[in-house]
Amino acid sequence: MAAIAAVEAALMARLLVLTTRLPYPPTEGHQLRSWHLLKALASRHEVTLMSFLRRDDEPAQAGPLRDILAALETFPIPGERSPIALGRALLAGTLTRTPYLAARYASAEFRKRLRERAGQADLVHVDMLPLMAHADCVPDGIPLVMNAHNVEHRLLRIRAGIERRTFARAFLRRQLNRLHDFEQAACRRADAILACSDDDAETLRALAPGARVQLVPNGVDVQLNQPAATQASGNRLVFVGQMGWFPNRDGVEWFLADIFPRILAMRPDTQFVLVGKSAGLEVPVRVAANVHLPGFVSDLRPLVHDAAVYVVPLRAGSGTRLKVLEAMALGKAIVTTRIGSEGIFLQPGDDALFADEPQAFADAVLELLADPARAHALGLAARRCAQSHYGWEGISRTALVFYDTLLEDAPSGAHLAEARGLPIHAVA
C-alpha cells in the first residue's frame, strides 16, 4: 500500500485546464463532460482552471467547482461584451484562415495569463477545439491535451447541408475549409487527443495520422439517475436539449414538422415535452396545442420519468449525446435516429428503436405507446447498457491512467517525481 501511495504522490502534478465556459453548474452536454473529467483530474492532481465566461454562466453557483480547484480565473468572451470585438471576430472568421469558431475567443488578456501560467504547469488540458488557437502560448515540452467533444468540421458540414437560410448556409460553407484546416493543425499540435467515440477517434486519426488519440467516452452518473419506481405508460413524449445548439433545434423542428403530425394522426392525445431552453424554436401551429415548453429545469428527472418514450430525432451531430446516456440510466424507452445515438452501444431492437425517416420514426413511437410492456423492456435494457459501459467512475479511472502515462512520458516526468522525492517508476 505504501508503494501504491508513493506512485500516486509521484504522479501528482500541476495541471492547467482551459475551458470555453464555466463547467459548473453543468446544464448542457459539453459542460457535463468537462465537469466530470475535471473532477477526475482534481481527485489526483492540483488543477488550475482558466475559463471563459458566457453571459448565462452562473459563477455564484460554482462553489463545488471552486472547492476542487487550486485556482480559478475567468475571462469574458469579447464578442459577447463588445460589438466591436464581435465585428473583429466576424472579420477574422471571414477574411483570414482562422475560423469564426476560434476567432470569437480572441483575448489578449487570456493569452497573457496563459503564458504566465503554462510555464508553471506539468500538463495543459485544452477543453474544446476553439481554444487550441492559444496553443502557441504553451511552452515546448509541456504536454498539451485536447479534449475533442466533437469532430467540429464534420458537424459543420452536416449543418451547412441542412441549413435553410441562404445567407447562413453561404457563411457556413465558407467556414468549412477554414475549420477543417484549423482542426487538422490542432490535432497535429496536441500531444494527445481525447475522443468521445470510436467513430470520432477514427476520424481524428485520419485527419492527423500519427496523432495520439485516446477514447474517453461520455458518461452518466448511474447512481444519481435511477429509473422511476413505476414505469410511465401514458401518451407523453420527451426530448431534453437546449435550442441554442443547432443539432437540437434542427432535430426538434424536423420532429414537429414531419414526424409529430403522423403520430397525432393516429393518437391525437399524444403530448410532446421539450425540456431545455426553447428560444429560437419554431413550433408549427398545427401541433402547438400538443407541445409543452417548460424551459430550463433544475432537475429534469421528474419530467423524463413521466414520459412513455424518449425521442432523439437528431439529423446532425458528433461525439455522443450525454442526454441520451441520462435517458438510458433513467430506464427510458428510446426512439432515435442513427446520428442521435452515434457512438453509443445501443443495439437496435434490443436496447432502443432506430429510425431515420419520418414515417418509420412515427411508427416506432406509436409501437411503444401501444405496447407499454415492450417500452418497459427496452428501458431496462438501456439502463443495463448505461451501467455496463457509461458510468463516470470507470471512465474517470481510464482518463487518469492515460494522464499518468502522459506525465511519465513527458520530458519533465522524471524530475516531476524527483521534485517530490520519489522515483516515478516506484514498485512494490
Side-chain angles (χ1 to χ4, degrees), residues 98-121:
T98 301
Y100 174 71
L101 186 75
R104 69 189 300 259
Y105 295 99
S107 167
E109 180 188 6
F110 183 86
R111 289 176 63 82
K112 178 177 180 294
R113 290 298 288 145
L114 177 56
R115 286 193 183 96
E116 293 169 356
R117 287 196 176 275
Q120 305 301 313

Side-chain angles (χ1 to χ4, degrees), residues 49-215:
L49 175 62
M50 290 176 56
S51 177
F52 279 96
L53 194 65
R54 276 187 12 182
R55 278 181 176 162
D56 56 343
D57 284 342
E58 301 176 282
Q61 297 185 27
L65 174 64
R66 297 177 192 277
D67 289 344
I68 67 172
L69 297 173
L72 169 64
E73 282 192 80
T74 61
F75 303 82
I77 298 174
E80 287 193 354
R81 310 301 171 100
S82 163
I84 294 174
L86 176 59
R88 288 197 191 104
L90 286 168
L91 284 174
T94 304
L95 302 178
T96 74
R97 297 306 302 168
T98 301
Y100 174 71
L101 186 75
R104 69 189 300 259
Y105 295 99
S107 167
E109 180 188 6
F110 183 86
R111 289 176 63 82
K112 178 177 180 294
R113 290 298 288 145
L114 177 56
R115 286 193 183 96
E116 293 169 356
R117 287 196 176 275
Q120 305 301 313
D122 297 310
L123 181 146
V124 176
H125 171 108
V126 179
D127 195 82
M128 296 193 77
L129 174 67
L131 299 189
M132 287 297 290
H134 305 295
D136 61 302
C137 298
V138 178
D140 292 340
I142 295 177
L144 189 151
V145 182
M146 181 177 73
N147 183 23
H149 290 251
N150 302 289
V151 179
E152 297 291 351
H153 77 275
R154 186 175 71 174
L155 180 59
L156 182 63
R157 181 177 296 111
I158 296 171
R159 178 177 178 179
I162 59 181
E163 174 60 60
R164 295 191 298 267
R165 296 167 297 174
T166 303
F167 177 80
R169 184 170 62 251
F171 177 79
L172 295 174
R173 286 176 175 171
R174 284 196 297 268
Q175 290 291 303
L176 272 173
N177 287 339
R178 291 182 178 87
L179 187 56
H180 173 277
D181 294 348
F182 179 82
E183 192 160 23
Q184 183 176 60
C187 290
R188 290 171 173 171
R189 167 63 181 88
D191 296 288
I193 304 164
L194 307 185
C196 295
S197 69
D198 287 323
D199 288 342
D200 280 7
E202 182 179 347
T203 302
L204 292 167
R205 290 189 186 104
L207 188 65
R212 188 173 186 176
V213 181
Q214 173 69 29
L215 175 63

Side-chain angles (χ1 to χ4, degrees), residues 81-414:
R81 310 301 171 100
S82 163
I84 294 174
L86 176 59
R88 288 197 191 104
L90 286 168
L91 284 174
T94 304
L95 302 178
T96 74
R97 297 306 302 168
T98 301
Y100 174 71
L101 186 75
R104 69 189 300 259
Y105 295 99
S107 167
E109 180 188 6
F110 183 86
R111 289 176 63 82
K112 178 177 180 294
R113 290 298 288 145
L114 177 56
R115 286 193 183 96
E116 293 169 356
R117 287 196 176 275
Q120 305 301 313
D122 297 310
L123 181 146
V124 176
H125 171 108
V126 179
D127 195 82
M128 296 193 77
L129 174 67
L131 299 189
M132 287 297 290
H134 305 295
D136 61 302
C137 298
V138 178
D140 292 340
I142 295 177
L144 189 151
V145 182
M146 181 177 73
N147 183 23
H149 290 251
N150 302 289
V151 179
E152 297 291 351
H153 77 275
R154 186 175 71 174
L155 180 59
L156 182 63
R157 181 177 296 111
I158 296 171
R159 178 177 178 179
I162 59 181
E163 174 60 60
R164 295 191 298 267
R165 296 167 297 174
T166 303
F167 177 80
R169 184 170 62 251
F171 177 79
L172 295 174
R173 286 176 175 171
R174 284 196 297 268
Q175 290 291 303
L176 272 173
N177 287 339
R178 291 182 178 87
L179 187 56
H180 173 277
D181 294 348
F182 179 82
E183 192 160 23
Q184 183 176 60
C187 290
R188 290 171 173 171
R189 167 63 181 88
D191 296 288
I193 304 164
L194 307 185
C196 295
S197 69
D198 287 323
D199 288 342
D200 280 7
E202 182 179 347
T203 302
L204 292 167
R205 290 189 186 104
L207 188 65
R212 188 173 186 176
V213 181
Q214 173 69 29
L215 175 63
V216 178
N218 285 325
V220 62
D221 188 331
V222 293
Q223 298 305 316
L224 178 66
N225 294 284
Q226 298 273 352
T230 57
Q231 187 74 8
S233 58
N235 61 352
R236 194 171 290 252
L237 315 178
V238 69
F239 174 83
V240 177
Q242 57 94 9
M243 295 297 99
W245 178 235
F246 172 79
N248 288 345
R249 189 179 72 250
D250 170 74
V252 170
E253 289 180 347
W254 176 57
F255 177 81
L256 294 178
D258 294 340
I259 299 171
F260 199 35
R262 300 169 193 261
I263 296 170
L264 292 177
M266 302 302 296
R267 295 190 60 136
D269 61 342
T270 307
Q271 306 294 310
F272 173 70
V273 181
L274 169 66
V275 183
K277 298 175 183 177
S278 58
L281 176 67
E282 298 178 10
V283 179
V285 174
R286 62 175 174 164
V287 300
N290 297 73
V291 176
H292 304 276
L293 307 174
F296 171 78
V297 296
S298 58
D299 185 356
L300 59 84
R301 289 171 297 177
L303 288 172
V304 175
H305 282 152
D306 285 346
V309 180
Y310 190 104
V311 294
V312 191
L314 300 188
R315 301 189 295 175
S318 181
T320 52
R321 265 54 69 190
L322 285 100
K323 298 305 185 185
V324 176
L325 298 179
E326 287 183 347
M328 293 165 59
L330 291 168
K332 300 310 299 181
I334 298 168
V335 177
T336 178
T337 60
R338 294 191 181 278
I339 286 179
S341 61
E342 189 175 54
I344 300 175
F345 297 132
L346 289 171
Q347 296 301 310
D350 294 330
D351 305 321
L353 299 187
F354 287 64
D356 290 318
E357 299 301 326
Q359 189 61 56
F361 201 107
D363 289 344
V365 171
L366 289 166
E367 175 188 340
L368 296 181
L369 291 177
D371 190 349
R374 169 83 163 127
H376 182 60
L378 282 177
L380 292 178
R383 166 74 183 179
R384 289 193 294 271
C385 182
Q387 290 175 303
S388 298
H389 299 289
Y390 297 108
W392 271 119
E393 185 177 347
I395 292 169
S396 295
R397 283 196 299 269
T398 298
L400 284 172
V401 169
F402 182 63
Y403 272 70
D404 287 349
T405 301
L406 292 175
L407 289 165
E408 282 193 60
D409 293 346
S412 60

